């Protein structure tokens, strides 16, 4: 039982010191395990979101055994299930960017996977909407860029735009027909099924506490199991994949001392987004759209 001893707020410094002390004790606990007392796996994936499940699925097809650990009570309970569920076309990133190539290739692979595994999706298309001449020029430049990276787009006339989407006010429109939406929960369920059918394991309620690199080039990992009989388990893995999402920087920094540059270099900075739901009623005008509608990106925040 935890008893509150003080009503004073905990400062950020005090919390950091407590976290570091806790991390040290976890590292010491991990170091106390003999090699014969550790569970051996070939591949350990940290994080059971859509990335972790997809990576685990692929690793499970290789030789050796794979374990995916997820700290929550089920897979995909954080960012993987709290997003707009958009399959992006890959129109914004620089031509030589790895992100561009992976987005385009991943989009095509994802549509194929959905069709093969009955994952609900819809290729709705997307409009990027300009409200003035300056933004319209941006759309023309974006269209030229998309031609360079082989992503199909086309300009939509004002007349056609008004016909197709009467509720959208637009000075100019760039249409991206390969953008779509997906049921992320169904996608993760399919990936999880693939993963287990290939012989891999998913351990939920299992949180990584410490990691160290051993002399053989593998990794020792301490996990908290949430089981009162066996609260901790030590795992030795030949390879570890960090797919911990919003916690990935903390997982990475478990491998280095407190004064290492990773603590400042690999630090996530969060930005909060908001979603609004419009419900048609007799007191407000009816609004309906048939596709995704985006404004021209704001130069100040993109």
């Amino acid at each position: 039982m935890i008893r509150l001893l003080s009503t004073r707020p905990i400062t950020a410094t005090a919390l950091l010191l407590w976290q570091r002390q806790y991390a040290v004790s976890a590292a010491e606990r991990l170091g106390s395990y003999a090699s014969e007392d550790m569970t051996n796996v070939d591949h350990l994936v940290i994080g059971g979101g859509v990335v972790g499940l997809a990576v685990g699925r692929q690793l499970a097809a290789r030789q050796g055994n794979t374990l995916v650990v997820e700290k929550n009570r089920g897979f995909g309970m954080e960012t993987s299930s709290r997003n707009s569920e958009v399959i992006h076309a890959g129109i914004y990133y620089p031509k030589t960017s790895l992100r561009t190539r992976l987005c385009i290739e991943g989009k095509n692979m994802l549509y194929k996977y959905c069709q093969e595994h009955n994952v609900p999706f819809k290729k709705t298309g997307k409009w990027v909407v300009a409200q003035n001449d300056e933004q319209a020029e941006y759309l023309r430049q974006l269209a030229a860029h998309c031609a360079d990276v082989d992503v199909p787009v086309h300009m939509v006339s004002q007349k056609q735009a008004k016909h197709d989407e009467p509720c959208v006010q637009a000075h100019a429109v760039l249409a991206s027909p390969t953008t779509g939406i997906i049921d992320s929960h169904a996608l993760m369920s399919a990936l999880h099924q693939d993963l287990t059918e290939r012989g891999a394991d998913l351990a939920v309620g299992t949180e990584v506490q410490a990691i160290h690199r051993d002399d053989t080039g593998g990794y020792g990992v301490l996990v908290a199991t949430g089981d009162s009989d066996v609260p901790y388990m030590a795992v030795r893995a030949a390879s570890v994949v960090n797919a911990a999402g919003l916690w990935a920087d903390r997982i990475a920094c478990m491998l280095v001392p407190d004064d290492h540059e990773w603590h400042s270099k690999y630090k996530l900075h969060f930005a909060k987004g908001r979603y609004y739901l419009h419900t048609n009623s007799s007191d407000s005008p009816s609004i309906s759209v048939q596709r995704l509608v985006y404004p021209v990106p704001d130069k100040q925040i993109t």
Side-chain angles (χ1 to χ4, degrees), residues 191-292:
L191 291 171
H192 177 238
Q193 182 175 340
D194 276 354
L195 182 150
T196 54
E197 288 179 352
R198 292 179 176 185
D201 294 304
L202 170 67
V204 298
T206 305
E207 184 172 0
V208 172
Q209 303 288 306
I211 308 175
H212 71 70
R213 190 78 181 266
D214 62 29
D215 296 336
T216 65
Y219 297 87
V221 183
L222 179 73
V223 298
T225 65
D227 186 329
S228 58
D229 294 327
V230 186
Y232 295 97
M233 181 177 73
V235 179
R236 190 200 172 277
S239 67
V240 174
V241 177
N242 180 0
L246 299 181
W247 308 90
D249 55 343
R250 305 183 195 189
I251 294 296
C253 288
M254 288 181 181
L255 283 165
V256 297
D258 287 345
D259 58 352
H260 197 279
E261 66 173 352
W262 280 13
H263 287 277
S264 58
K265 186 176 181 180
Y266 298 127
K267 184 175 180 61
L268 293 178
H269 300 276
F270 302 122
K272 183 177 181 179
R274 295 183 183 274
Y275 285 83
Y276 293 89
L277 175 66
H278 175 83
T279 303
N280 290 326
S281 69
S282 57
D283 299 330
S284 62
S286 177
I287 296 177
S288 177
V289 293
Q290 305 303 314
R291 52 184 55 77
L292 300 169

Side-chain angles (χ1 to χ4, degrees), residues 143-178:
H145 165 72
C146 290
D148 284 344
V149 296
D150 200 26
V151 174
V153 296
H154 61 270
M155 299 297 295
V156 179
S157 69
Q158 284 185 314
K159 181 179 179 180
Q160 187 65 43
K162 194 64 178 177
H163 175 270
D164 292 347
E165 295 287 4
C167 292
V168 175
Q169 181 177 339
H171 179 73
V173 172
L174 181 70
S176 168
T178 60

